[in-house]
Amino acid sequence: MVKHERTEPFTARSRRGRLVATTVAAAALAGGLLTVTAATASAAPADPLPSHEADFNGDGVADLATSAPGAHVAGKDSAGQVVITYGGPALRHKTFSQDSAGVPGSAEKGDGFGSDTAYGDFDRDGYDDLAVGAPGEDVGSDKDGGTVQILWGSAGGLSGGTTVKDPRPSGHDYFGSPLEAGDFDGDGTTDLAIGARSGASTIDILNGKISRTRGTGSSHYTIKPAILSGDGAGPFNLHSGDVNGDGREDLIVDGFSTADEYNANLWVPGTADGLKTSRQQRLPGGTITDVGDTDGDGFGDIVIGLQWDDGIAGANKGGSVYVVHGSATGPYGDTQIFTQDSAGVPGSGEKGDSFGTDLDLGDINGDGHLDLVVGSAGENLDGVVDAGAVTVIYGAADGSGLSPRGAVLLDQNTPGVPNSNEKNDFFGSDVHVDDLNGDGRGDVTVGAFGENGANGAFYPLTSKADGTFAAPAGVYTSTVGISAAGTARLGVNFAD
């Protein structure tokens, strides 16, 4: 049997000597804000954003966290950095590493700070915080034991940090990848799920308020979904959402199934006592998921990206996206499937397109219905290998769900999208929908971790009223003060 996992489906790597026409601000070289504004009110926001949008400074406009886990810091390869983009009329960027003031520890080779991230109001002060995994961190004599640090939100944005106390330091390696936040017991507060990429299928849940001084939750428990443990196994990806409409978020766990050693997704429902595996349900395979009520029936639907051409049940040439509809009993509703050969979806399915590389739900056109953005990072365009593209599939105007009618394809040659299609850019390696300018329409941010010889980049595309997208420029490593040495892979992951 062939196992499948979401490590990196794109293997081509070549450095291009293309000059990025972006001015580096002096503040960026120090990891500071590119546009400096004075902090305003110190009180927490009275009307918080919807739970799917991060707001680290409480100004009522969504913010974004973008990872560059391969970034050099002070000459140390793959120490890792995270770029925070504060939303508003003008986007502002600030870059954090473990050498940043207030962040615990220090940047070291191979830490992979930012390999995964998750946001939520972990200390209950009204501001979203950011959990950052550094799974390659050596903890004492424990090589690659891994760690998680929380950067705390405030009126001035993220500042300071606390190391999460590892509840089982001898039970795993690579603690902190993957991460996911959600209200799994329905008490109105955010919990944090922490996986370990190798050595254990057990997932730790920090329940309740996380202490800034101790790095512990109000309580702690573990779950053990039906995925394999051991070297190279454990959970690969986590996502949360309320699938059965009971007011508690459920957890979607991706890993190798214990039943047949194929890649699988498992639905683990939330209950009044937290997550319970006794009712876990296997879903179609794939590597990345999102949850949202796409058809307005009050139940969250699970969207699954399955980017392989073959070798796993449900695969289609070029990749597939499954939408498993929720119900009062869980993910037992109808299932939709989209490929690039579906009527209305632009293009056609070709081997290696990797349609479903990444995906995200959000209301892009402001009509009150969820839309879906799908990355196809392996897309070849006009002879340009692995240039990458994204597809936007809109929710039907009658609220009946996602419909391929009117879907659009975006690439770096699309008017309004910065830069141009180039070999191995992998545009669409991650995608995210957030209303970054507060106009009521979700803006589409696209990662391209292969840009500039795998230095990486991301492109916040403003959603315009006429249905088009535009951005003045992309965000490159030079824009935000990340070293050009090595392969930073900026844009490989956005916090969700």
Side-chain angles (χ1 to χ4, degrees), residues 294-297 369 395-401:
T294 63
D295 53 7
D297 64 356
H369 306 304
D398 62 3
S400 59

Side-chain angles (χ1 to χ4, degrees), residues 19-272:
L19 176 65
V20 179
T22 307
T23 300
V24 181
L29 296 177
L33 290 173
L34 299 184
T35 303
V36 180
T37 60
T40 54
S42 59
D47 185 18
L49 290 169
S51 60
H52 67 280
E53 294 191 332
D55 187 6
F56 301 123
N57 57 5
D59 65 354
V61 182
D63 305 319
L64 177 70
T66 306
S67 296
H72 278 235
V73 179
K76 297 165 185 173
D77 183 22
S78 298
Q81 291 177 289
V82 174
V83 177
I84 307 303
T85 300
Y86 293 103
L91 301 182
R92 303 175 295 128
H93 309 289
K94 186 173 182 177
T95 301
F96 289 89
S97 74
Q98 287 180 286
D99 280 352
S100 298
V103 178
S106 59
E108 298 167 315
K109 181 179 179 180
D111 282 351
F113 182 77
S115 292
D116 202 8
T117 52
Y119 64 82
D121 184 7
F122 299 121
D123 62 351
R124 314 299 186 253
D125 68 349
Y127 298 96
D128 279 327
D129 315 303
L130 184 69
V132 183
E137 177 90 17
D138 295 339
V139 183
S141 60
D142 184 8
K143 181 176 174 55
D144 296 330
T147 190
V148 176
Q149 295 171 345
I150 297 179
L151 309 183
W152 301 108
S154 71
L158 294 176
S159 64
T162 300
T163 298
V164 171
K165 184 177 180 180
D166 187 343
R168 300 180 304 105
S170 62
H172 55 73
D173 284 327
Y174 305 110
F175 183 68
S177 182
L179 300 170
E180 181 63 12
D183 181 8
F184 303 123
D185 54 9
D187 65 355
T189 59
T190 306
D191 310 314
L192 180 61
I194 307 174
R197 177 60 184 82
S198 181
S201 60
T202 302
I203 298 170
D204 292 280
I205 314 296
L206 299 188
N207 187 50
K209 180 178 179 179
I210 295 178
S211 168
R212 286 192 178 214
T213 55
R214 298 188 304 276
T216 58
S218 301
S219 62
H220 162 260
Y221 64 95
T222 62
I223 60 170
K224 193 170 183 178
I227 58 173
L228 291 178
S229 59
D231 186 35
F236 302 145
N237 286 286
L238 303 173
H239 204 88
S240 61
D242 185 5
V243 177
N244 57 7
D246 65 355
R248 307 177 184 98
E249 291 192 84
D250 313 314
L251 189 67
I252 313 301
V253 181
D254 177 74
F256 293 150
S257 169
T258 55
D260 53 21
E261 298 190 19
Y262 275 92
N263 205 154
N265 289 292
L266 297 168
W267 172 68
V268 180
T271 73

